[in-house]
Each structure stands twice: as structure tokens, then as C-alpha cells.
Amino acid sequence: MVHRAAAQKEAQRPLGRGARQGKEIVADTLVQVTLPPMGESVTEGSIVEWRKQVGDFVSEGDALVDVTTDKVDVEVPATASGVVAQILAGAGDVVSVGSVLAQIDTAKSNGAVPVSRSGPVATVDVVLPEMGESVTEGSIVDIRCRPGDYVAEGDPLLDVTTDKVDVEIPATAAGAIAEIFVRAGDTVAVGAKLLSIDVNAAAPAGSPIARAAVPPAPVAPPKAPPAAAGGELLADRPARRIAARLEVDLAQVRGSGPNGLILRGDVTAQAETAKRRPRGGSAAPSLPAPGPDATVVPLKGPAAALIGYMEQSLTIPTATSFRAVAVDVLDARRKELNGAIKAAGRNEKVSFTHVVAYAMVRAAHAQPAITFLFRRDENGTPTRVEPGIHLGLAVDSERKDGSRFLVVPVIKGADALDFAAFRAKYEELVRKARDNKLTADDLQGASFTLTNPGGIGTIASVPRLLAGQGAILAAGAIGYPPGFANANEQSLRLLGVSKIMQMTSTYDHRVIQGAQSGEYLRTVDDLLQGRNGFYESIFESLGLDAAAVPHLTTTIPAGGASAAAPPSDEMLRAVAAGMAIVSAYRRHGHLAANLDPLGADPVGDPSLEPQTYGLTPALQEAIPAGVLRVKVPGNTLADVLPHLRETYSSTIAYEIEHISNAKQRVWLRDYIESGKNKIKFSPERQLEFLSRLTRVEAFDRYVRKTFLGQKTFSGEGLDVMVPMLEEMLDMFADDGVDNAVIGMAHRGRLNVIAHVVNMPYEEVMTEFEAAQYRGELGDDDVMGDVKYHHGATGTFVTAKGKTIDVTLAHNPSHLEAVDPVVEGSARALQTDHAGGVPATEPKRAVPVLIHGDAAFIG
């Protein structure tokens, strides 16, 4: 979301000839187009689409821009005739009511636009972007460009630091830097304008960017710590925070930022220098300067923080234990676990790392010494700290530019969680790490850490132990021992050779001894081999039972001769696989359906692919459809599979296997797979639907344009709702239903009133025109902020000439309040009071509830 507050303020300044760089616009010929008031409760809107661009000629009243709000969609018209001189809000921007959207030069009528030295002026603002909900401002560390420099889209323009993250602000368009509004050291709010770019400026000849030819400024020696107003040292917030943590005096730190601004890296470097400096000695000599052909890349953000942590780790005396862990049991039980989850109709998956990390936690609960920390107290006395079991997870992520960064979020109190809760917390932290949404609290407090280099094929690893932790464990890649990697897998199993995983434990040798580390790794190994009910506890926490291994038996008829030879093991496995893939389509077919209105590819699922089960085309042809118990056409599995895909994974998807009533579930399967749910419409019926949709669209367009600024709650995105309701009423009338009671949200409500309830257009329009007399636009509004809260009644006439009474229930802004009212009204209408004893007649009324969240556009 980009707020244009600064741009609006700039646009509202009186413009003189040449008031801004290269702009030859006469102020008294400019007319501003603003976002109009749209009722008391509407304070802002989002730009959807510009109908006109800079340089286009417009007549007064022409549609200029489409704007949407949480209450109303509007077309903002041109307020005068002339040429669009400037557009101040781009598509997707959120602007306040009264904000300037564009300027029209009434002195221009031939399509000419104001020009600068390098062409038409069209500036794009670069603002401080949002960086998470908790980040509200940032400090300017460095400005890499100057006015007049030509930049390409994506070039870094400024370096900004916040209390959570360090970022480079890129150019949002190619062009020349028109104006810079901030200075190094300034603190600016999110959304504030940093600089503007003239996108019509010509690139300098012979070079894509002018600033590439500007000689670099000479490197000055670090300045003394500067003082801000009031004598306070000039340092950014991360630097102050880490200085307090490492007990570094900022007065002793020389800042490397602009104007001597102290950065986080300066503090960590000072702390490391102080640790390495001999008593009474001087600082270590600096490294030789890089050669003239060397490329020097400053490290910032997470990379700079990692340097500080790694340099701190050099002060920790560590030792490392190794253990090779057989993974046959782990592999088998994990497959069994995922199979039970799939059979239960659930979507979660359990990875090797989930199980290994949980085994580490359980082992640490039994042997907490692996988490002990070393620290000196205030008097310098060495102490051992027992912090509890808080597991850090080393997460390596890749940015969009291909660079990588490492973060270590922490599962706190991990030993108090069962496996289900542990896995959920694990996935939550990894997801936040990949989305760059971790908070400072998520990254603090680890007493030991797991890193998983095996995920990228590393066999074994000895990672660095960070300060403030007892140990770091690494899980290597799973594979056969060295020397057996290229051997036949079946032969290796006959020889009893198992796949292994190397685990290492790097620990603080001041408080953890080698025997303790070795015992800890042995406990982890024991748990992964299934001892102490480890896997049973995992199944139980997930609400699953370990699946029993099926045993096939062959019955021999009396007399000793079989009527037919028993099927081969291969065929039995193939039939079981065929039944499994049928079950997978019924449970997970929706994952492969094309349901995204924006056209994104479906996620799919491996269980829907024959290759997952080893089903070759020949085996698919050999499996008769009769054993699969399906209703789709076909004689073999090969015939059935395409029909299953069409049924469960096309543009309509079904999820019915969760229904506990077996009779209902089987009926739905038969109805779906037999194709009874699909009706082929004739061309005449299709034209009829098109006509209905056209009426819906035309009504919305007319109301939105005619009653500009009033709430219309168009049905855009829900256009098909009106034909759907009309089709339902047709079916109700054919079944003898007398009344339909409808409860719905506001979006599309006017269209339903006009075409389903059949209120005449004249009455609908009169309601708009009378709004001002009822006080809906002022403080005396008695109807709230939406028309027709009071509902409507009418009669719907079907295509066959039958009639059905339709009632649209009154409802307030909170949709859930109308649901019980609609059901109660319909139930009352179903009661027949004609006889002495009231009787229930269900066909007298049907309730229809429509929820507002069905609007994709919303």
C-alpha cells in the first residue's frame, strides 16, 4: 500500500512558471481533480485504473479514473476540458478524500504537454516502503545518487536502517533524479517521499546511467562520534540496541555512516577489537588495501549482523562430537505417519527435519546439560547458566535477487510441546522467516540450535557456535556409507547395509564435556530408532493410530485344487495402488483444479500421479474398472483416470470425503461421478444467460455513473449471482414452492432488488434521488450508510409463467445478524394455520442465505 500524502502536499503548492525543475506550466491554467466526498464513513479510496494518461485531451465530464472504496465504486470525471498535465496517484495507491489525483491544463487543447529540457515532464515519486506492521520509520544512512543522475529501474538509490531491518530503496522507474527531499541522518516515516524521478528524461549518450561516470568520492577516515542536537551521540537504533547488549561505550565508537553516523557493524567491530586487544597494547594492524581491480561490496542488513555474530563466536572454546545414525526406522515410520495423515484426509506433511528436531528436544529434556551456557557475572566470576530448552532453527532463505541470508528463529519452551504443537510452531517460524516477518522476540533466547545442511546435500558439517548458546547440532544428508553409494540398493539391503545420517554436536567446552555431548547424541539416536515410545507419542499427538500392515491370505477350495491361480503379488500391489489413486482424487483432486481467477497454476499433489504408485501404462490397462468402484465411464484404470481428472480436477472441484454419514457420502460420489450434476444448455439458453448478465452489467454501470459519489455496492465480481438466483427461483417454482426469503450482503444488493425481487427501475432511481432529502448524506441519517437496509418484496415470474413471492430481508451492516431472521421468517411461512392444529409444509417457503465474502474482488 503506497500513501501519497507527501505527493498531495507537493501538488497543492501554487505553481508558477518554472517553479519546479524544467516545468513550464502556468499556474492559472491548471485545474485540479480531487477525490470527491462519498459519504461520511468513506475517508479514502484505492486507484483501480486510469482511463486517461498524461498528454491526453479530455472534455469536462469524461471518465478520468476508476476508484474503489470499502463502500462504493466510482468513476471520477474530468472537472474541466484540457490536457492531462500530471497524474499524482498510480494504480493501487490509497488516497484520502479531497486529495489531488491529477491536474488538467485548460490552456492546452491540441494534445501538447508541458516539456522540460529532455522531453515531457512526468515525475514518479520514490517513497519509504512498508517493512512490516511494527516498522513505522527509518533513518537515511546513505544517498547514492544526486539530482540530474540518470538511473535504471531497480538501481539502489538510498540505504535506510530501521530498528528491525536494513534496506536498499530501489528506483521505481528509469529516468533522471529530479529532486531529493531527504538528507543522510534524517528520520522519515513510512510512506514519506524520498525523491522524485523524471521518467521522460533522456539517457546520457554513451552510458546507461550518468552516475556511473561520476568519479567516486575519496574515502575519508572515520569521523569522531558526532553529536546530535542536545549533545546525544548520532547512532541508529540497531547500533544503540547492540551496544547495550555488548556493553560497548558509543563514545569510543567511530561511525562509518554519513556524517559519522554509528551503525550496528561499527559497534560489533568495536566489541571484537576490545576483546582481541592485548592489555596495554594497541589495536591489531589493518589489512592491506584492495588492489585497483578489486570489487568492494559493503555488507549490510542480515549479512552485517551475521559477521558480528561470527566474530563473537571466535571467542568460544568449542569441541565437536560426531555420530552416524541409521535412518531405516526413521524413513519407514515417517512414511507410515504421512500415509496415516493422508488416509485421514488431512493435508499436512511430516518431514525428516520435523522428527529429528523433535528428537533433539526430547533428548535435551532427558539430558539438559547440552543447553548449558557460560557467562561471567558482574565481578568477572565464571558461571554456568541453565536457561531451559529453547531450540533455534537455522533457516537459509533466498531473496528475489538471488542473494541468501540466514536467520535463527527460536521455539521457546520446546520441551513443553507435544509433536503436533511443536511441528505447528516450527512451520510458523519458517514461514515467517521466508516472508521476512520475524520479530525481534522470535530471534532471541535460543539455548541450542539445529542446522540442516543435509537439505542441500552436505554429508557432515561443523558449524560455528554463537555466543549465548550451549550447542549447535547439524544433521547431514541421508545416504549410504562411503564406498557403497554406487552399489545396487537391493544387494545392500541383503547385506544389511543401511542408509545413515551424520549428526554433529558442536558445544561450549567450558560448561559441556565430551562425554555429555556423546551421551546426548546417543539419546537422539535411540529415539530415532523408536525406543521409549517415541513414534507412538508422535502418532498420538496427531490423533492418529499406527496403520497395521495388511497380510494377504489365499483360500484353497475343498478338495485341494484351486478354481483359479491366485493373482501375483505385483498385480495385488497394482490393484491396491489403483484404489489408492481413486481415493486420492476424491480427497485431494481439488488441489489440481483450475480455480484461481487470476490464472495461477494449481498446487497439485503427488498422490494424484500414477508414477507415485509405480503404475505403468501396462498395469493401468490390466486393472479392471470393476474393482475400483467408480461411476465414471471406462473399462480399465487407464480409461478411468482421464474421467477422474475431468470430474475432480477441472474448473469445478469437490470436497466430500470428510462427511461422516456414509450414505450421504456415497450418494454424492455417485451423483458427481455419473455426471448427473452437469447440464448441457442449448444455445438459446446460453443466449438467455448472456442477456441476464448484460442487464446486470448495464444496471451497475448506469447507477455508478449517474449517481456519482453515492454508494451503489455494485455486483462486480458477483455478476453471475443474479442469473443463479433466477435459476434457483425457476426450480423452486417448478417444485411448487410459494415463497423465497433471501438474506444477503450489500454487494450486488441493488441488482438483486431490481432483477430478482423485480422492483421497478423507477423506484430504485427514486431512492437515490430522494437520499439527500432523507438526510443520508448528512448527520440526520436514520438509515445508516447503505440504502435498502429495510429490504424489499416482490413477485418473480419464471420463464414458464409461474410466479413465486420473493422477500429480501431487512438487515444491518453486520450480515450474520440477518441469517437467523431469514430462517425464522421462512419457518413461519412454512406453518399452515388453516386447520385446527398448525401443520408444517416445507414447500411453502425456502430460505436463501448469501454471504458477502464470496466476492473475489473484495
Side-chain angles (χ1 to χ4, degrees):
M1 181 181 294
V2 180
H3 291 273
R4 294 283 180 157
Q8 306 299 344
K9 183 176 179 181
E10 183 66 32
Q12 291 168 0
R13 295 181 185 173
L15 295 177
R17 186 181 298 275
R20 299 289 300 276
Q21 294 183 0
K23 295 188 178 180
E24 301 173 0
I25 300 177
V26 182
D28 55 9
T29 67
L30 289 182
V31 174
Q32 295 179 337
V33 181
T34 61
L35 185 64
M38 291 164 282
E40 185 177 349
S41 64
V42 178
T43 60
E44 63 183 14
S46 298
I47 305 299
V48 177
E49 179 184 9
W50 280 95
R51 303 283 188 90
K52 303 293 183 181
Q53 300 300 324
V54 173
D56 290 350
F57 180 81
V58 293
S59 298
E60 184 176 355
D62 284 353
L64 194 61
V65 59
D66 293 334
V67 177
T68 184
T69 74
D70 59 347
K71 301 291 185 187
V72 63
D73 301 323
V74 298
E75 296 173 349
V76 178
T79 53
S81 298
V83 170
V84 178
Q86 194 172 11
I87 291 175
L88 299 171
D93 288 356
V94 177
V95 294
S96 303
V97 169
S99 299
V100 181
L101 305 179
Q103 293 179 333
I104 299 174
D105 188 355
T106 58
K108 302 289 184 179
S109 60
N110 58 355
V113 294
V115 295
S116 68
R117 290 170 297 175
S118 49
V121 172
T123 59
V124 172
D125 294 331
V126 177
V127 301
L128 185 62
E130 293 186 354
M131 293 164 282
E133 188 174 344
S134 62
V135 178
T136 59
E137 62 182 14
S139 298
I140 307 299
V141 176
D142 187 21
I143 300 175
R144 304 191 185 188
C145 57
R146 294 177 294 185
D149 288 355
Y150 189 87
V151 295
E153 183 176 356
D155 281 354
L157 302 180
L158 307 95
D159 295 329
V160 176
T161 184
T162 74
D163 59 349
K164 293 286 191 293
V165 65
D166 299 328
V167 295
E168 296 176 346
I169 307 299
T172 53
I177 302 298
E179 192 169 357
I180 299 175
F181 305 105
V182 294
R183 294 176 301 175
D186 287 354
T187 298
V188 294
V190 169
K193 185 164 63 173
L194 306 177
L195 52 81
S196 61
I197 301 173
D198 180 0
V199 297
N200 285 346
S207 175
I209 52 174
R211 59 189 176 85
V214 177
V219 178
K223 301 179 180 180
E232 184 182 3
L233 288 171
L234 184 61
D236 62 14
R237 291 184 182 179
R240 294 181 184 279
R241 188 172 64 247
I242 199 167
R245 176 181 171 188
L246 300 180
E247 299 180 352
V248 172
D249 182 4
L250 287 175
Q252 304 300 319
V253 181
R254 293 187 177 272
S256 61
N259 298 320
L261 177 69
I262 299 174
L263 305 178
R264 178 166 50 190
D266 302 329
V267 177
T268 55
Q270 174 69 19
E272 185 59 31
T273 301
K275 288 181 180 179
R276 293 188 171 199
R277 184 178 299 161
R279 243 178 231 183
S282 58
S286 60
L287 295 174
D293 298 329
T295 300
V296 179
V297 180
L299 297 177
K300 302 178 180 180
L306 184 62
I307 290 172
Y309 296 142
M310 291 296 102
E311 290 179 344
Q312 289 179 51
S313 73
L314 296 174
T315 64
I316 305 174
T318 62
T320 302
S321 303
F322 290 78
R323 188 178 183 95
V325 178
V327 296
D328 284 355
V329 175
L330 169 62
D331 187 24
R333 298 311 299 268
R334 188 187 74 93
K335 288 179 179 177
E336 181 184 351
L337 184 62
N338 282 324
I341 292 173
K342 184 186 298 183
R346 288 151 55 176
N347 295 326
E348 65 259 42
K349 296 201 76 171
V350 174
S351 68
F352 284 108
T353 313
H354 289 147
V355 180
V356 172
Y358 187 61
M360 286 176 50
V361 170
R362 287 279 299 271
H365 181 74
Q367 299 190 23
I370 200 69
T371 65
F372 291 170
L373 316 178
F374 174 84
R375 184 169 297 169
R376 294 184 182 273
D377 63 14
E378 298 175 354
N379 301 320
T381 304
T383 62
R384 184 184 74 197
V385 180
E386 301 177 7
I389 299 173
H390 312 298
L391 177 64
L393 303 169
V395 181
D396 179 75
S397 298
E398 186 173 355
R399 294 189 181 94
K400 293 180 180 179
D401 62 0
S403 61
R404 307 187 75 91
F405 66 97
L406 180 71
V407 290
V408 186
V410 182
I411 301 178
K412 297 178 181 176
D415 58 327
L417 305 176
D418 64 8
F419 180 79
F422 176 84
R423 180 193 171 280
K425 187 63 177 178
Y426 180 108
E427 289 297 307
E428 176 192 349
L429 290 175
V430 171
R431 182 169 56 254
K432 290 171 70 175
R434 300 271 160 80
D435 295 340
N436 198 23
K437 293 183 178 179
L438 289 170
T439 65
D441 185 60
D442 291 331
L443 297 169
Q444 296 177 356
S447 54
F448 68 136
T449 295
L450 168 64
T451 181
N452 183 24
I456 55 175
T458 301
I459 297 175
S461 173
V462 183
R464 297 297 310 178
L465 178 62
L466 300 185
Q469 298 187 26
I472 181 169
L473 290 97
I478 293 175
Y480 286 105
F484 296 96
N486 298 321
N488 179 272
E489 186 167 346
Q490 187 173 2
S491 301
L492 292 176
R493 292 191 175 185
L494 290 174
L495 293 171
V497 179
S498 301
K499 288 184 178 180
I500 62 170
M501 171 181 66
Q502 288 284 356
M503 291 195 69
T504 63
S505 168
T506 300
Y507 52 93
D508 189 336
H509 213 341
R510 292 171 294 187
V511 289
I512 303 173
Q513 301 307 309
Q516 292 173 306
S517 174
E519 287 290 336
Y520 173 78
L521 286 179
R522 184 170 68 179
T523 303
V524 173
D525 192 355
D526 287 346
L527 292 173
L528 294 178
Q529 303 312 317
R531 296 183 177 89
N532 300 323
F534 178 66
Y535 293 105
E536 288 74 13
S537 68
I538 293 178
F539 274 92
E540 182 180 356
S541 73
L542 293 172
L544 301 170
D545 295 324
V549 180
H551 295 280
L552 298 176
T553 58
T554 304
T555 302
I556 305 298
S562 63
S568 66
D569 289 347
E570 182 183 12
M571 194 61 199
L572 288 173
R573 284 193 292 269
V575 170
M579 298 180 73
I581 198 170
V582 169
S583 176
Y585 267 101
R586 289 169 173 167
R587 292 180 180 276
H588 309 306
H590 61 279
L591 297 176
N594 292 300
L595 304 178
D596 192 330
L598 301 182
D601 292 332
V603 295
D605 190 275
S607 65
L608 305 176
E609 300 299 330
Q611 296 84 351
T612 302
Y613 307 91
L615 286 170
T616 64
L619 285 174
Q620 295 176 44
E621 290 285 351
I623 299 173
V627 303
L628 302 175
R629 297 182 180 179
V630 292
K631 292 294 182 180
V632 295
N635 298 319
T636 65
L637 177 60
D639 302 330
V640 163
L641 275 180
H643 293 291
L644 285 175
R645 294 189 189 101
E646 175 65 24
T647 300
Y648 289 103
S649 303
S650 58
T651 55
I652 299 178
Y654 306 91
E655 287 189 80
I656 60 171
E657 294 301 310
H658 62 283
I659 298 174
S660 58
N661 188 304
K663 187 175 180 180
Q664 294 176 1
R665 191 168 63 246
V666 172
W667 185 91
L668 284 168
R669 278 185 200 157
D670 292 348
Y671 198 82
I672 293 167
E673 294 179 7
S674 64
K676 296 176 184 177
N677 59 325
K678 295 183 179 180
I679 301 174
K680 181 68 175 178
F681 292 112
S682 65
E684 293 76 18
R685 288 280 281 157
Q686 294 179 29
L687 287 174
E688 181 185 340
F689 290 138
L690 177 60
S691 175
R692 293 177 180 180
L693 287 171
T694 303
R695 291 203 308 271
V696 171
E697 175 68 14
F699 177 84
D700 273 341
R701 282 177 176 266
Y702 178 81
V703 172
R704 193 162 58 236
K705 188 171 184 179
T706 304
F707 303 104
L708 183 65
Q710 295 202 44
K711 302 173 185 65
T712 63
F713 286 91
S714 76
E716 187 176 3
L718 287 175
D719 314 71
V720 78
M721 179 175 64
V722 170
M724 178 193 74
L725 285 173
E726 292 174 338
E727 196 70 15
M728 288 177 63
L729 293 178
D730 273 346
M731 291 188 288
F732 290 160
D734 288 342
D735 289 342
V737 176
D738 299 325
N739 296 274
V741 186
I742 302 175
M744 66 176 295
H746 306 312
R747 183 164 295 281
R749 187 178 182 89
L750 294 180
N751 233 311
V752 171
I753 289 175
H755 298 113
V756 179
V757 183
N758 269 341
M759 176 181 285
Y761 289 146
E762 293 83 354
E763 292 188 34
V764 178
M765 303 310 163
T766 301
E767 189 74 18
F768 275 98
E769 293 168 353
Q772 55 184 333
Y773 301 110
R774 290 205 310 266
E776 286 193 14
L777 304 180
D779 296 332
D780 299 327
D781 179 5
V782 297
M783 300 303 297
D785 62 348
V786 183
K787 297 175 182 62
Y788 303 111
H789 274 256
H790 50 288
T793 58
T795 301
F796 180 80
V797 181
T798 71
K800 297 178 182 177
K802 298 180 180 180
T803 61
I804 180 172
D805 292 332
V806 183
T807 301
L808 182 64
H810 308 247
N811 71 288
S813 292
H814 295 284
L815 173 63
E816 64 274 10
V818 80
D819 290 352
V821 174
V822 169
E823 294 180 11
S825 299
R827 179 63 183 82
L829 289 170
Q830 289 174 349
T831 303
D832 184 4
H833 295 276
V837 179
T840 302
E841 179 51 58
K843 285 194 174 183
R844 294 183 62 144
V846 174
V848 179
L849 299 175
I850 304 170
H851 201 279
D853 288 348
F856 171 77
I857 197 169

